[in-house]
């Protein structure tokens, strides 16, 4: 009888370890996919923001809104990011929507 109980405990322990390993692997895969989707989102946002940021900097230099180019670049360095009550720009791009939907899914 004691042998059967020990065997059952061993089986339960082995099954528990297996489930933990499978769960950990699934979590790691999900995190890797999320990181890939997030990177694609940020790359798409930067592609959209870069020309706009460049134009703002050029206008700043041309109109002498700041003392020099370096100051204009610093002033617009966070263009497109969330700041205060200002919402971040371009999280409505398809790549970002895909990343957001995956983050909120149960897959």
């Amino acid at each position: 009888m004691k042998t059967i109980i020990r065997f059952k405990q061993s089986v339960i322990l082995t099954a528990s370890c297996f489930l933990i390993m499978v769960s950990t692997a699934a979590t790691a895969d999900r995190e890797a996919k999320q990181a890939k989707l997030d990177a694609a989102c940020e790359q798409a946002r930067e592609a959209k923001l870069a020309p706009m940021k460049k134009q703002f900097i050029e206008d700043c230099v041309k109109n002498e809104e700041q003392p020099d180019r370096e100051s204009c670049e610093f002033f617009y360095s966070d263009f497109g990011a969330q700041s205060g009550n200002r919402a971040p720009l371009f999280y409505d791009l398809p790549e970002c929507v895909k990343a957001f939907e995956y983050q909120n899914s149960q897959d």
Side-chain angles (χ1 to χ4, degrees):
M1 188 67 159
K2 288 182 180 181
T3 306
I4 293 174
I5 292 173
R6 286 186 184 153
F7 177 74
K8 286 182 180 180
Q9 289 173 339
S10 177
V11 168
I12 290 171
L13 182 60
T14 302
S16 297
C17 289
F18 177 74
L19 289 174
I20 289 170
M21 288 183 343
V22 168
S23 176
T24 301
T27 299
D29 288 346
R30 182 167 176 75
E31 288 174 357
K33 183 172 182 178
Q34 185 67 58
K36 185 176 178 181
L37 291 169
D38 289 343
C41 168
E42 290 306 319
Q43 185 176 10
R45 286 184 71 238
E46 185 57 34
K48 190 98 168 175
L49 289 168
M52 296 173 71
K53 187 185 296 188
K54 182 179 177 183
Q55 186 60 51
F56 279 119
I57 292 169
E58 293 306 319
D59 290 345
C60 175
V61 171
K62 179 182 170 187
N63 299 328
E64 298 178 350
E65 296 169 17
Q66 299 289 328
D68 54 28
R69 174 173 289 281
E70 186 177 305
S71 298
C72 288
E73 289 172 356
F74 179 77
F75 184 79
Y76 286 105
S77 63
D78 67 344
F79 177 75
Q82 181 178 355
S83 179
N85 291 329
R86 183 180 71 198
L89 298 177
F90 302 124
Y91 277 112
D92 58 340
L93 293 171
E95 295 88 346
C96 298
V97 170
K98 188 174 180 180
F100 177 78
E101 288 175 349
Y102 185 76
Q103 182 178 17
N104 292 316
S105 72
Q106 300 298 318
D107 293 341

